[in-house]
Amino acid sequence: MGRLLDGRYRVEGRIAAGGMATVYRAVDTRLDRVLALKVMHPSLAVDEAFVDRFIREAKSVARLSHPNVVGVFDQGTDGTYVYLAMEYVAGCTLRDVLRERGALQPRAALDILEPILAALGAAHRAGLVHRDMKPENVLIGDDGRVKVADFGLVRAVDTHTTASTGSVLGTVSYLAPEQMEHGTADARVDVYACGVVLYEMLTGGKPHTGGSAAQILYSHLHDDVTPPSELVPGLASELDELVVAATARAPEQRPQDAVALLARARSARTRLTDAQLDLVPPQAKEPSDDDERTDVIPRPAGVQLALPVEDQAELNRTSVLEVPPADAAPADGRTTRLRPPPAAPADGRVRRRRTATIVAAVLLVLGLGTGVWYINVGQFTRVPAVLDMSQTEAQQALHDAGLRIKVERGFSANVRRGHVMATEPETGLRIRGNGTVTLVVSRGPEKVTVPDLAGTPLADARRKLRDLGLVPGTETRAFSDEVAKGSVIRTDPAAGSTRRPDTAVALTVSRGAPADVPNVVGSAREDAAAALRQAGFRVQFADQPVFAPQDKDAVARQSPGAGTTLGKGDTVTLTLSKGPEMVTVPDVGGKNTADATKALTDLGFEVTVDKPFLFPQDKVASQSVAAGDKAPKGSTITIRLKGAL
């Protein structure tokens, strides 16, 4: 923590640790922005081939530009540290959501699945395969955006689709059968993993389970995924079909890539009713994180499998996972497949019975001793050292220790805002295993000096206030000849004032130098645009012209209107004229004044009445535009009344 990596990235806190790398929250001191640093474990960084692939694959992913893919900004090395600088997404992972809520409603599951498939579809169409899709690699931002992260195992489809190196990378619960059996990986392995993720969102559990990695792998190879409706009564058949199609054991029976699966998902959604989409599933048991880490476990021979650490012993003492590389074949010419663990020899049963008797006696003695130990020592633990950790890190440490958490806040001139300044009980003291630890989190100094933000762009001003513990308050706009548009003119309280943390600071933001909008109605398009630009305004034209008295392609109206004061650089919208709308004039001869006037005004004409000087009658004798002729809408038509003489 606090290290300046590569002379640029200041590490501020740990976000997560995986089998191949640790992810940190950091600040790019050059661009002054928060980002995520993924730093490869030093034990892997000494492998030049692994580092070369890490760098090569990072460059491939950096070419992806998609709103649902976590962006890669930079890659580099600093001594023994090999890192990626990536977009920082404030929020949680899909695993966090599933842990908290269990199974999701179908609407929520599809809302998450579709952006995942959109991101993977962009990768597939660019010739890249993720190969490690799982809930841990799906980030859900505080703003609701869904992003796919950790393309660390990505592979170009057109270059290396077979694991000729004798290694299978991925996470056991989401590996496709062909990855385990043949080492092949194309876009359909991501489709398979997405099918498993969808199953997990709908049911709250994984489709393939077992007491060991070998049993899970065997189930992937030999058991079809059951329709999720068997666990969630009332689940729509369209969702069953979607899961079954995506998780077909034969890759040729799956959608060819994420784009094809996305089309199926959207089609299935359109066929579901609101009641089916909002079905409340039973809440599933909280899943374990232990089998979700992506690790590379060395094997003496055959395959290297990315499996949980606790399964290393299982892999090292059984042969069921010893699969030769894809380009190798058994001597008898048959295809090698994963097999269930072989049965123990018959004479082993006798030895096991004798051993079981001895073990039972030992366990009885140990059990009595364990009970005494638990009463006096075992039910207690010690408060972990969390001082000066960020609140998030401290809460995670206490959660991992099985302790409950209460958060209070206080002022501190020495501990950074948002970091732990004290605990109750204190660090190192004994506490009951399920007891509560109170974290006292720093609010920063008791008094904060309002910074001088004059001339600072608004976004930067807000960030600086938050970093100091102040709150960006009301924003008002004002004209300024000195301060650039969008930058702060002044603050209230003024710069240099001292306030308590969390005090709101009002910002007055520049609208730019003032200028009056000229009148361009009736001007030709080019002339009007030139006049406005010369006055310092931007110009945009409305999509649709309108009928108006002005000539065709002249300006019919402008917004804001002439004489309005705006800031230079503001936009004025112009609507062009289609010319006057021509309307056929009706015959109103012989009608009374009221009926004739209504007939003409209903069509958009103005009406004037010409009455004879002597003895006028309320009956139209003639009209200024003959019946059947066309006149511009809005023009004036005169009707003349009959006289007695």
Side-chain angles (χ1 to χ4, degrees):
M1 301 306 131
R3 179 189 176 103
L4 193 65
L5 194 65
D6 213 4
R8 176 174 182 176
Y9 303 108
R10 186 176 68 250
V11 179
E12 293 197 335
R14 191 177 73 171
I15 298 173
M20 292 185 292
T22 301
V23 181
Y24 298 92
R25 183 180 184 274
V27 172
D28 182 345
T29 58
R30 189 175 303 168
L31 297 178
D32 198 19
R33 67 176 173 184
V34 176
L35 46 73
L37 280 183
K38 182 176 182 180
V39 183
M40 185 189 302
H41 294 330
S43 60
L44 296 175
V46 296
D47 185 340
E48 293 184 4
F50 196 93
V51 172
D52 288 344
R53 183 177 65 186
F54 183 81
I55 295 172
R56 184 171 60 252
E57 292 168 353
K59 290 179 179 179
S60 298
V61 177
R63 292 197 299 268
L64 284 178
S65 178
H66 193 277
N68 298 116
V69 174
V70 174
V72 175
F73 301 144
D74 189 16
Q75 182 280 322
T77 58
D78 184 352
T80 60
Y81 298 110
V82 181
Y83 68 86
L84 284 180
M86 306 180 300
E87 175 185 4
Y88 175 73
V89 180
C92 63
T93 68
L94 176 55
R95 171 66 64 207
D96 297 326
V97 174
L98 293 175
R99 182 184 300 112
E100 179 182 349
R101 297 174 55 186
L104 306 180
Q105 292 175 287
R107 187 189 302 276
L110 291 174
D111 285 345
I112 295 172
L113 177 68
E114 290 181 9
I116 293 174
L117 294 176
L120 291 176
H124 292 170
R125 293 300 163 92
L128 302 174
V129 184
H130 190 288
R131 297 201 300 160
D132 196 23
M133 271 309 305
K134 56 186 177 182
E136 284 74 10
N137 289 337
V138 177
L139 306 183
I140 303 176
D142 291 337
D143 57 0
R145 290 181 300 167
V146 176
K147 288 180 177 281
V148 176
D150 201 357
F151 278 79
L153 301 183
V154 72
R155 168 170 286 171
V157 176
D158 58 349
T159 55
H160 302 287
T161 57
T162 302
S164 58
T165 61
S167 64
V168 177
L169 299 176
T171 303
V172 60
S173 294
Y174 305 91
L175 287 174
E178 64 269 24
Q179 284 177 282
M180 296 178 281
E181 190 169 17
H182 305 298
T184 57
D186 61 14
R188 291 171 294 187
V189 304
D190 288 345
V191 170
Y192 182 90
C194 287
V196 176
V197 171
L198 176 59
Y199 180 97
E200 195 170 354
M201 288 193 290
L202 293 173
T203 66
K206 303 181 185 67
H208 299 295
T209 57
S212 68
Q215 293 173 351
I216 296 174
L217 294 178
Y218 183 83
S219 180
H220 275 282
L221 284 172
H222 298 286
D223 299 331
D224 291 327
V225 173
T226 58
S229 61
E230 293 188 9
L231 294 177
V232 183
L235 195 68
S237 60
E238 287 84 356
L239 296 173
D240 281 347
E241 294 168 0
L242 194 61
V243 170
V244 170
T247 58
R249 282 186 289 155
E252 61 272 9
Q253 294 178 4
R254 299 177 213 142
Q256 63 181 4
D257 58 17
V259 176
L261 183 57
L262 176 59
R264 286 199 184 193
R266 288 176 173 168
S267 176
R269 182 194 281 265
T270 61
R271 299 194 301 274
L272 300 181
T273 65
D274 286 342
Q276 290 173 319
L277 286 169
D278 295 327
L279 174 72
V280 178
Q283 295 301 308
K285 181 180 178 181
E286 178 177 310
S288 171
D289 286 337
D290 293 340
D291 63 345
E292 304 312 321
R293 287 181 53 183
T294 304
D295 290 294
V296 179
I297 307 300
R299 292 280 296 141
V303 164
Q304 293 178 339
L305 287 170
L307 297 176
V309 174
E310 64 270 17
D311 286 325
Q312 293 185 43
E314 171 74 7
L315 295 180
N316 288 332
R317 69 169 179 262
T318 65
S319 61
V320 295
L321 298 177
E322 292 182 2
V323 182
D327 55 356
D332 59 5
R334 292 176 298 176
T335 301
T336 301
R337 299 180 64 85
L338 298 183
R339 309 180 300 281
D347 58 354
R349 298 194 186 105
V350 176
R351 289 194 297 270
R352 284 200 299 272
R353 290 195 194 98
R354 185 181 302 115
T355 302
T357 302
I358 298 172
V359 170
V362 173
L363 290 178
L364 178 61
V365 175
L366 291 177
L368 294 174
T370 300
V372 175
W373 171 85
Y374 179 76
I375 293 172
N376 293 279
V377 179
Q379 62 179 322
F380 292 92
T381 187
R382 293 189 181 275
V383 178
V386 296
L387 293 181
D388 206 30
M389 282 187 181
S390 70
Q391 180 179 340
T392 301
E393 291 177 317
Q395 288 177 318
Q396 185 62 51
L398 295 176
H399 180 271
D400 293 343
L403 298 169
R404 291 193 289 255
I405 302 162
K406 179 181 177 182
V407 177
E408 295 180 355
R409 300 187 183 276
F411 296 107
S412 173
N414 302 316
V415 180
R416 284 184 297 169
R417 177 182 173 85
H419 286 237
V420 177
M421 54 188 286
T423 64
E424 175 58 41
E426 295 180 4
T427 294
L429 293 182
R430 292 175 60 193
I431 184 174
R432 194 172 296 276
N434 61 350
T436 299
V437 174
T438 300
L439 295 177
V440 183
V441 179
S442 172
R443 298 178 61 186
E446 191 167 2
K447 293 291 185 179
V448 180
T449 301
V450 178
D452 184 1
L453 300 176
T456 304
L458 179 58
D460 292 341
R462 292 172 181 155
R463 179 183 52 75
K464 289 180 179 180
L465 289 173
R466 293 191 186 100
D467 289 346
L468 290 171
L470 299 170
V471 178
T474 305
E475 296 171 6
T476 57
R477 304 279 169 165
F479 295 112
S480 174
D481 293 319
E482 293 80 21
V483 179
K485 181 180 179 180
S487 295
V488 175
I489 300 174
R490 58 183 172 273
T491 60
D492 184 15
S497 304
T498 57
R499 292 293 186 274
R500 293 175 65 88
D502 300 318
T503 298
V505 177
L507 301 172
T508 302
V509 183
S510 174
R511 295 183 59 183
D516 291 334
V517 178
N519 185 8
V520 294
V521 173
S523 300
R525 174 189 176 115
E526 293 77 10
D527 294 342
L532 289 169
R533 292 190 180 105
Q534 185 175 1
F537 302 110
R538 295 181 180 179
V539 180
Q540 70 176 19
F541 291 92
D543 294 335
Q544 297 295 332
V546 296
F547 289 110
Q550 291 79 13
D551 294 337
K552 187 175 185 298
D553 291 334
V555 176
R557 61 177 76 115
Q558 65 181 72
S559 178
T564 304
T565 301
L566 298 178
K568 288 187 176 181
D570 286 349
T571 299
V572 177
T573 301
L574 301 180
T575 303
L576 299 180
S577 172
K578 294 168 63 175
E581 181 180 2
M582 303 303 290
V583 181
T584 301
V585 177
D587 184 3
V588 295
K591 296 180 179 292
N592 59 39
T593 302
D595 291 343
T597 299
K598 184 177 185 307
L600 292 169
T601 55
D602 285 348
L603 294 174
F605 295 112
E606 299 290 334
V607 179
T608 60
V609 180
D610 184 8
K611 299 179 180 180
F613 183 71
L614 295 174
F615 309 111
Q617 297 183 6
D618 191 19
K619 186 174 292 187
V620 176
S622 63
Q623 55 194 76
S624 60
V625 179
D629 289 350
K630 290 190 174 181
K633 188 174 182 178
S635 60
T636 300
I637 296 178
T638 301
I639 56 176
R640 299 180 181 86
L641 302 181
K642 290 183 178 181
L645 297 178

